[in-house]
């Protein structure tokens, strides 16, 4: 069970933690682990208890906006990954996705090609 009193949290934070905890339990996580994860998530998102007498950590709205922007930028960069036609990317794709790529490039004879043949045709 998480340590510490929950008195310093707002009602909104408590509801949020409860909702997160329920979702983890639905996924099969134990009650205590779900509770720990839920409060860790709430703490990470809001910086802990918000009522007076808390940690004293105050973040300006401009700092929060900047942090969100930086986070979004990092997430977008992560999603980009490898280009769809890089050598390593072609090897890891399913035959179905390779077939879609071949269809978009109008490669002739694609329906009878094996995965290896599709990769070779897409590299050309």
């Amino acid at each position: 069970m998480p340590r510490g009193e929950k008195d310093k949290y707002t009602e909104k934070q408590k509801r949020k933690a409860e909702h997160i905890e329920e979702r983890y339990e639905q996924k099969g996580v134990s009650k205590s682990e779900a509770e720990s994860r839920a409060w860790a998530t709430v703490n990470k998102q809001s910086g802990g208890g918000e009522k007076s007498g808390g940690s004293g950590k105050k973040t300006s709205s401009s700092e929060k906006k900047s942090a969100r922007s930086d986070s979004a930028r990092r997430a977008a960069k992560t999603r980009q990954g490898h280009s769809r036609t890089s050598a390593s990317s072609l090897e890891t794709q399913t035959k179905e996705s390779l077939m879609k790529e071949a269809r978009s490039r109008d490669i002739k004879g694609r329906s009878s090609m094996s995965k290896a043949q599709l990769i070779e045709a897409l590299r050309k």
Side-chain angles (χ1 to χ4, degrees):
M1 181 167 171
R3 297 184 311 205
E5 296 292 322
K6 303 300 180 221
D7 298 341
K8 298 198 188 249
Y9 288 89
T10 63
E11 290 304 311
K12 183 177 179 181
Q13 290 172 312
K14 290 175 184 177
R15 284 192 311 272
K16 186 179 224 177
E18 186 177 327
H19 177 72
I20 294 168
E21 183 180 339
E22 288 171 4
R23 296 295 295 159
Y24 274 121
E25 287 175 8
Q26 288 174 359
K27 292 179 180 182
V29 176
S30 72
K31 173 98 173 122
S32 62
E33 178 65 19
E35 187 178 4
S36 294
R37 288 182 185 185
W39 283 108
T41 302
V42 169
N43 285 335
K44 185 171 185 178
Q45 291 176 348
S46 64
E50 301 245 328
K51 290 185 179 176
S52 62
S55 65
K57 180 180 177 184
K58 301 290 182 203
T59 307
S60 71
S61 61
S62 63
E63 288 174 327
K64 287 180 183 178
K65 187 175 182 180
S66 175
R68 275 195 302 270
S69 176
D70 291 344
S71 177
R73 209 172 292 116
R74 286 192 308 273
K77 189 173 183 180
T78 300
R79 282 191 301 271
Q80 287 174 350
H82 300 292
S83 70
R84 289 173 49 202
T85 56
S86 71
S88 61
S89 177
L90 289 174
E91 300 291 335
T92 60
Q93 290 184 38
T94 63
K95 184 176 178 183
E96 184 179 328
S97 66
L98 293 169
M99 191 67 77
K100 285 181 184 177
E101 183 68 25
R103 188 177 308 118
S104 70
R105 292 190 193 183
D106 198 31
I107 295 176
K108 303 294 180 203
R110 64 184 174 268
S111 62
S112 61
M113 290 184 182
S114 67
K115 182 176 178 178
Q117 291 170 326
L118 282 168
I119 291 170
E120 187 62 35
L122 288 168
R123 282 190 179 140
K124 291 181 182 176

